């Protein structure tokens, strides 16, 4: 029997509807199967926040200078004839660095010696006159006024001898000063004059700096000074600043730490009104003269001890939009992002001033796998104790 066309068309529509429903049921079953598969919980490395008494340090930019800086100037005027040192080398106190033409000064000395001999001869004659005429005057063989004149002439001759001796001494000094010597042991600088130049007491020939030990000058703020003074131990009566007795480290411009420890010598007498800082003077041993005046560095000194400080590896702290955050894993394994306020650094560790409590677990590795509210499996790592 042949079905009517209307029924044939209806069966086709029915088959299509059944197929669509079957596909929908299959897709829904697949989605439910996928939803039933749980996402794996990421494993992260965590460090436990610990408390420890840690030293706190201050750092300041320092300028190095010679312990003693001596400007080498001649005492007499004349033409420079010789340079007796190697520029940049170590010289000793009393070593001749320059020579000035000595001939004019030798001539002056010879003339002064001649004047002295003449004055001494005149004194000898006056002495003989007095010795000869004294008994004659007593015997009234000559006028007493004649003896008086001879006595006065002898006194004048004695004064002339003393004056001539002083002239000889001055001439000898001037001749000696034609050899310009170093005033201290130290490193001699570049010569500021050429051979043949006319030099005098206003001329700077060179400079010599004593660099072992070497001085370091660094400014601290008035607030830092007052804070250090308030914490100072004044029982010794020597220094009112707390960290004056502590040794200093010198960090050079290449980042290396100078092997010799320094000490603070003094604080300047006043606060600079322009900068609001007071200058501190320290000294560092400088064997081998490695450090030179004019170098820069940073001095580091322990200023106080922070009790029960919270320590955390620096790798656990995120710097985002001007703030700092850490990821804390709670007892329920949920992650919470928390703002913190870090303080001083000690090696690879960071002192956390605000935002954490002792014993909390903070993510150190695996931060890219987590976000606020996600679950995480904590894996403890050993907290570095660098900075002790």
């Amino acid at each position: 029997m042949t079905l009517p066309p209307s029924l044939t068309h209806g069966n086709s529509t029915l088959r299509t509807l059944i197929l669509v429903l079957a596909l929908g049921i299959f897709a829904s079953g697949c989605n439910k199967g996928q939803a039933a598969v749980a996402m794996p919980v990421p494993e992260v490395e965590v460090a436990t926040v610990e408390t420890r008494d840690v030293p706190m340090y201050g750092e300041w930019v320092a300028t190095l200078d010679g312990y003693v800086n001596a400007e080498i100037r001649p005492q007499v005027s004349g033409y420079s004839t010789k340079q007796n040192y190697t520029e940049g080398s170590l010289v000793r106190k009393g070593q001749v660095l320059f020579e000035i033409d000595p001939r004019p000064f030798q001539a002056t000395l010879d003339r002064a010696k001649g004047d002295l001999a003449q004055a001494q001869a005149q004194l000898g004659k006056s002495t003989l006159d007095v010795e000869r005429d004294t008994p004659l005057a007593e015997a009234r063989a000559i006028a007493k006024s004649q003896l008086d004149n001879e006595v006065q002439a002898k006194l004048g001759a004695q004064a002339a001898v003393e004056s001539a001796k002083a002239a000889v001494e001055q001439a000898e000094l001037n001749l000696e000063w034609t050899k310009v010597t170093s005033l201290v042991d130290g490193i001699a600088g570049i010569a500021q004059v050429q051979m043949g130049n006319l030099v005098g007491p206003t001329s700077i020939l060179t400079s010599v700096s004593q660099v072992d030990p070497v001085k370091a000058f660094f400014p601290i703020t008035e607030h830092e000074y007052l804070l250090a003074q308030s914490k100072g131990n004044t029982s010794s009566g020597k220094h009112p600043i707390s960290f004056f007795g502590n040794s200093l480290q010198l960090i050079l411009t290449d980042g290396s730490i100078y092997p010799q420890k320094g000490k603070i010598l003094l604080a300047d007498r006043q606060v600079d009104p322009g900068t609001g800082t007071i200058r501190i003077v320290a000294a560092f041993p400088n064997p081998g003269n490695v450090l030179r005046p004019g170098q820069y560095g940073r001095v580091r000194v322990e200023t106080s001890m922070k009790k029960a400080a919270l320590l955390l590896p620096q790798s656990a702290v995120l710097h985002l939009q001007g703030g700092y955050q850490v990821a804390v894993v709670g007892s329920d394994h949920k992650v919470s992002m928390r703002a913190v306020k870090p303080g001083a650094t000690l090696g690879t560790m960071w002192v956390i001033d605000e935002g954490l409590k002792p014993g909390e677990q903070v993510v150190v590795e695996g931060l890219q796998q987590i976000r606020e509210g996600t679950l995480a499996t904590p894996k403890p790592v050993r907290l570095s104790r660098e900075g002790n």
Side-chain angles (χ1 to χ4, degrees):
M1 181 178 65
T2 302
L3 294 173
S6 59
L7 290 177
T8 303
H9 177 71
N11 288 339
S12 175
T13 302
L14 179 61
R15 287 196 299 271
T16 302
L17 179 60
I18 292 172
L19 180 60
V20 170
L21 290 174
L23 290 174
I25 293 170
F26 176 75
S28 176
C30 290
N31 289 337
K32 288 181 179 179
Q34 291 178 358
V37 178
M39 296 297 292
V41 178
E43 185 178 82
V44 293
E45 295 184 352
V46 297
T48 302
V49 180
E50 70 171 64
T51 60
R52 186 170 12 129
D53 293 345
V54 296
M56 305 304 294
Y57 294 90
E59 282 190 9
W60 298 273
V61 176
T63 305
L64 304 184
D65 202 358
Y67 201 84
V68 176
N69 297 306
E71 290 184 342
I72 306 303
R73 300 173 184 262
Q75 297 290 324
V76 294
S77 297
Y79 290 96
S80 177
T81 59
K82 195 173 182 181
Q83 177 180 327
N84 296 324
Y85 79 100
T86 302
E87 295 169 322
S89 65
L90 179 66
V91 298
R92 298 298 181 185
K93 182 179 180 179
Q95 179 178 334
V96 177
L97 305 182
F98 296 90
E99 293 185 25
I100 296 173
D101 187 359
R103 292 173 298 175
F105 303 96
Q106 184 64 59
T108 301
L109 176 59
D110 294 340
R111 184 170 61 251
K113 287 181 177 179
D115 292 341
L116 174 60
Q118 185 176 1
Q120 288 173 332
Q122 184 60 43
L123 175 61
K125 178 183 180 301
S126 299
T127 301
L128 290 174
D129 290 343
V130 171
E131 290 176 351
R132 183 189 65 244
D133 291 347
T134 297
L136 295 176
E138 291 175 350
R140 297 182 182 274
I142 61 173
K144 189 175 180 302
S145 60
Q146 181 179 341
L147 178 61
D148 292 340
N149 291 335
E150 290 172 350
V151 170
Q152 294 303 315
K154 179 184 177 181
L155 294 175
Q158 288 175 335
V161 168
E162 295 300 323
S163 178
K165 286 181 178 179
V168 170
E169 291 177 359
Q170 183 62 59
E172 288 175 341
L173 277 177
N174 290 342
L175 180 61
E176 182 181 341
W177 282 337
T178 60
K179 297 182 182 297
V180 184
T181 61
S182 175
L183 304 176
V184 296
D185 295 342
I187 301 296
I190 297 173
Q192 302 299 308
V193 297
Q194 302 296 321
M195 297 306 95
N197 288 163
L198 179 63
V199 297
T202 60
S203 306
I204 299 177
L205 305 184
T206 189
S207 297
V208 177
S209 295
Q210 180 186 345
V211 294
D212 187 16
V214 67
K215 282 183 178 178
F217 296 86
F218 60 96
I220 66 174
T221 65
E222 185 178 1
H223 174 73
E224 290 171 330
Y225 172 76
L226 293 175
L227 183 62
Q229 190 179 46
S230 66
K231 295 180 179 179
N233 179 11
T234 58
S235 59
S236 65
K238 186 175 181 181
H239 294 304
I241 299 180
S242 58
F243 55 80
F244 258 38
N246 299 344
S247 60
L248 279 73
Q249 283 184 327
L250 179 62
I251 305 171
L252 303 178
T253 53
D254 62 354
S256 63
I257 297 178
Y258 184 64
Q260 300 289 336
K261 300 291 186 181
K263 63 178 181 179
I264 295 177
L265 299 179
L266 57 96
D268 201 358
R269 66 178 182 85
Q270 67 175 14
V271 174
D272 187 334
T275 61
T277 60
I278 183 169
R279 192 162 64 160
I280 306 298
V281 185
F284 287 86
N286 190 24
N289 303 321
V290 176
L291 303 178
R292 296 297 179 96
Q295 280 186 264
Y296 286 91
R298 288 178 292 127
V299 293
R300 187 170 185 258
V301 59
E302 181 182 331
T303 56
S304 62
M305 182 68 68
K306 188 178 181 67
K307 300 294 185 181
L310 302 180
L311 289 179
L312 199 62
Q314 294 185 37
S315 59
V317 183
L318 297 173
H319 186 195
L320 300 172
Q321 298 179 351
Y324 296 88
Q325 285 185 344
V326 296
V328 179
V329 180
S331 58
D332 56 358
H333 290 195
K334 281 189 177 181
V335 175
S336 62
M337 304 304 294
R338 191 180 302 174
V340 295
K341 181 181 178 182
T345 58
L346 284 87
T348 61
M349 307 298 291
W350 218 334
V351 176
I352 304 299
D353 292 336
E354 295 178 7
L356 288 176
K357 296 178 181 178
E360 290 188 309
Q361 292 186 320
V362 179
V363 178
V364 178
E365 294 292 340
L367 289 168
Q368 68 278 5
Q369 307 177 54
I370 58 175
R371 62 181 184 273
E372 176 71 30
T374 59
L375 295 176
T377 302
K379 178 183 177 182
V381 295
R382 180 177 177 80
L383 186 65
S384 172
R385 298 188 67 84
E386 182 178 351
N388 260 355

